[in-house]
Amino acid sequence: MKMNKSLLIATSLLAATALQAQEIKVKDKNVEQSEGTLLVGMTLDFSGIEVPAGRSIVCTPVVASGDSIRPFTPIILNGRDRHILYERTGRTYATHGEYALRRTKGEPQTFGYTARTPMASWMKRAEIALVTDECGCGWETLQNDRSTLFPINFIEPIVLNPVPAFLAPAAEEVKRRTLNGQAFLDFPVNSTEIRPDYRKNPGELAAIRQTIDAVKDNNYATITRLAIKGFASPEGTYANNRRLAEGRAQALLNYVMGLYKFSNQTTYDVTSEPEDWEGLEARLEASTLDGKAEALAIVRADEPADFDAREAKLKQLPAYKQILAEIYPALRRSDYVVEYNIRNFTVEEARELIHRDPSQLSLEEMHRVALSYPAGSDEFKEVFEIAVRMYPDDPVSNLNAAHIALQNKQPDRARRYLAKATPSAHKELADAILLMLGEQWAEAEKTLTRLTGNPEVADAAAANLKQVKQMIEYTLLTSKK
């Protein structure tokens, strides 16, 4: 019996092969999924098929994917005599769930076919195929020899949309700012009197005025402190250099106060460094001076402790004239600091300043401006990019800018910003998004799963984790043949 069944199957496969060679054509294909149902429509063209008068062929459309398969309503193609016998049985679609067609040799013949079946997840990426049976073996026996009619694919490509978590900067109770400068004023020998027109003094004094004017002309700023520190070179006695450093620093403060009227709350500090031995060491180290090793050894030695004696040793060096001419002048200077406060701004004021003069805003004010725009909008992103330009070394501005770069799918740029961010849950989230963009799904899933337990970033982590799981499922589905 088993031999007979095997013989029937083999005979059917040969017949199916012959039928395929005759070719059943398919046109007007339509596949939809609606409310959990797969809907299939197509026109089958049997014009090229020949069925002997006393034979029939059962064509069973199926939906298949891998090892999963589900049949639709079969179509029975009968030869003339077989169809007469079929009609005498009284079988109908309503009673037996099958379509029966009489195939007339050489005549054109099409059939509009429709079917529906409950949707299954494996059907999202599958094929509509046809199992042909001339032996009565049943479609189950012959399913592996099915002929593909057309593929179906309901798997929509997943577009990653990284969900960031921005860190709010700490608010500045008082927005303290500082401008620094150096003045290399020329004085007549042993003098502490400033002569505005003497040598290069016009340019040096103009630079000082420009620094102060930058704050004085700022309607939002108030100068709170002026600090000047005078430096002299080691040339001459230490006592005289102390007098010169102190006197010249005080002279510069007097000059400034003679030009400007400051608030009663402004404080003033005048200090001095009689001989700038640290500056001398640094400049010698950076120089290409012949004999600089000998000069540095004297400068760095603990003895003699007396600075005048130490200078006397320097004078004995062959390079001393070059030191006197090229290095000492740069040590004679006044360092000045202008400290000022900038008032706080409302969000409305800050939105106007963010483009016109962002230097007036604190990082926290910029953050509030960003939040005043729709999340993810161009305006929203632009504010964070302005913030990192204004605060290029701030860990928070860099972290938030990294999240903007990740939203824009710019991983290399994000990495540059993250290099300046300090460790935090927000930074870990950014690292996880980098894994997502690199399609490292398993690593990203592991990190994001852990971060869902951190209230600081839980919502963003959960949203990104959902996308990762969707991508894992999508990868599995699309990898099926």
Side-chain angles (χ1 to χ4, degrees):
M1 185 68 181
K2 289 183 179 179
M3 183 179 296
N4 291 338
K5 185 175 181 180
S6 298
L7 183 60
L8 284 171
I9 294 173
T11 303
S12 178
L13 291 176
L14 289 172
T17 302
L19 181 63
Q20 290 171 19
Q22 296 181 64
E23 189 179 7
I24 297 174
K25 297 180 180 179
V26 182
K27 55 186 178 181
D28 303 327
K29 302 181 287 283
N30 182 49
V31 182
E32 299 177 9
Q33 58 173 337
S34 174
E35 299 180 352
T37 300
L38 177 67
L39 306 172
V40 178
M42 56 185 166
T43 298
L44 296 171
D45 187 347
F46 299 113
S47 301
I49 303 300
E50 293 185 6
V51 181
R55 300 293 300 274
S56 66
I57 301 172
V58 180
C59 301
T60 305
V62 297
V63 56
S65 177
D67 295 331
S68 300
I69 188 168
R70 187 179 296 171
F72 294 124
T73 303
I75 307 163
I76 302 173
L77 283 178
N78 292 318
R80 184 195 64 182
D81 297 343
R82 191 62 174 260
H83 194 66
I84 292 171
L85 292 174
Y86 180 88
E87 288 181 329
R88 289 175 181 173
T89 65
R91 296 169 69 99
T92 65
Y93 174 81
T95 59
H96 289 79
E98 60 192 23
Y99 299 111
L101 305 175
R102 175 180 172 177
R103 180 72 193 110
T104 302
K105 183 178 180 180
E107 293 292 327
Q109 186 175 18
T110 60
F111 179 68
Y113 183 91
T114 59
R116 62 172 56 209
T117 188
M119 188 73 188
S121 61
W122 57 266
M123 296 178 187
K124 291 182 178 179
R125 185 177 175 88
E127 66 178 16
I128 300 299
L130 194 65
V131 178
T132 57
D133 177 11
E134 288 194 86
C135 66
C137 302
W139 72 267
E140 296 94 336
T141 303
L142 303 170
Q143 62 178 282
N144 290 331
D145 196 48
R146 62 184 180 265
S147 302
T148 299
L149 298 179
F150 55 88
I152 60 175
N153 186 0
F154 290 116
I155 301 175
E156 296 183 4
I158 296 176
V159 178
L160 284 179
N161 291 301
V163 178
F166 296 98
L167 186 60
E172 293 183 73
E173 186 175 343
V174 179
K175 290 157 57 180
R176 296 185 175 90
R177 302 291 183 267
T178 300
L179 289 178
N180 302 287
Q182 290 184 324
F184 295 89
L185 295 172
D186 287 318
F187 292 86
V189 176
N190 281 328
S191 172
T192 60
E193 178 187 356
I194 292 178
R195 296 184 182 180
D197 297 328
Y198 188 65
R199 293 186 177 176
K200 63 178 184 296
N201 286 354
E204 294 295 313
L205 293 174
I208 296 171
R209 293 194 302 271
Q210 186 177 12
T211 301
I212 296 174
D213 288 342
V215 182
K216 291 286 287 183
D217 294 342
N218 184 345
N219 295 328
Y220 308 117
T222 302
I223 294 177
T224 58
R225 178 173 174 265
L226 289 176
I228 298 175
K229 184 173 183 178
F231 293 84
S233 70
E235 182 186 13
T237 67
Y238 190 85
N240 190 52
N241 286 334
R242 173 186 290 143
R243 178 185 69 84
L244 292 175
E246 291 176 353
R248 290 171 177 175
Q250 185 63 54
L252 181 56
L253 177 62
N254 293 340
Y255 171 83
V256 170
M257 293 184 67
L259 294 177
Y260 299 97
K261 180 177 177 61
F262 297 103
S263 165
N264 293 333
Q265 282 73 45
T266 304
T267 60
Y268 309 95
D269 290 313
V270 176
T271 57
S272 62
E273 186 75 30
E275 295 181 353
D276 187 10
W277 287 89
E278 287 186 8
L280 175 59
E281 180 182 1
R283 289 182 177 275
L284 282 171
E285 184 66 51
S287 75
T288 57
L289 187 76
D290 289 337
K292 80 172 185 179
E294 296 173 287
L296 282 170
I298 294 172
V299 170
R300 292 169 175 168
D302 294 331
E303 296 292 337
D306 180 77
F307 288 116
D308 288 342
R310 190 176 300 182
E311 189 211 354
K313 294 188 69 174
L314 282 176
K315 287 182 176 180
Q316 297 172 11
L317 297 177
Y320 181 73
K321 286 185 178 180
Q322 191 175 353
I323 293 173
L324 187 65
E326 298 179 6
I327 295 180
Y328 276 5
L331 303 178
R332 304 173 190 128
R333 68 190 189 280
S334 293
D335 291 351
Y336 55 91
V337 178
V338 181
E339 295 181 2
Y340 60 100
N341 295 342
I342 298 178
R343 75 170 180 85
N344 295 323
F345 299 99
T346 65
V347 172
E348 290 72 20
E349 291 174 321
R351 284 182 69 160
E352 190 274 328
L353 286 169
I354 193 71
H355 298 290
R356 182 171 59 82
D357 192 0
S359 64
Q360 305 292 342
L361 303 176
S362 68
L363 192 57
E364 188 271 338
E365 286 170 328
M366 292 184 181
H367 189 80
R368 286 191 284 118
V369 170
L371 296 183
S372 72
Y373 293 109
S377 65
D378 290 343
E379 296 85 354
F380 176 87
K381 293 178 179 180
E382 184 182 16
V383 173
F384 284 109
E385 290 168 353
I386 292 173
V388 78
R389 289 200 298 270
M390 298 306 301
Y391 296 88
D393 297 315
D394 185 272
V396 176
S397 70
N398 278 277
L399 173 63
N400 290 338
H403 276 287
I404 292 297
L406 292 171
Q407 277 193 307
N408 292 335
K409 299 179 183 177
Q410 299 171 315
D412 291 341
R413 189 171 185 176
R415 288 187 185 94
R416 290 197 296 272
Y417 289 135
L418 288 174
K420 294 184 178 181
T422 53
S424 67
H426 293 76
K427 185 175 186 293
E428 287 186 80
L429 179 68
D431 290 332
I433 295 175
L434 279 172
L435 292 172
M436 290 170 59
L437 295 179
E439 299 185 3
Q440 296 173 265
W441 308 122
E443 295 88 340
E445 183 179 26
K446 181 179 178 180
T447 302
L448 290 168
T449 299
R450 177 172 53 80
L451 290 175
T452 56
N454 189 317
E456 292 183 4
V457 296
D459 290 345
N464 288 305
L465 181 60
K466 180 179 178 181
Q467 294 185 64
V468 168
K469 290 182 175 180
Q470 289 173 336
M471 283 302 306
I472 292 173
E473 180 184 5
Y474 175 81
T475 302
L476 289 173
L477 287 172
T478 55
S479 65
K480 291 182 179 179
K481 301 297 183 183

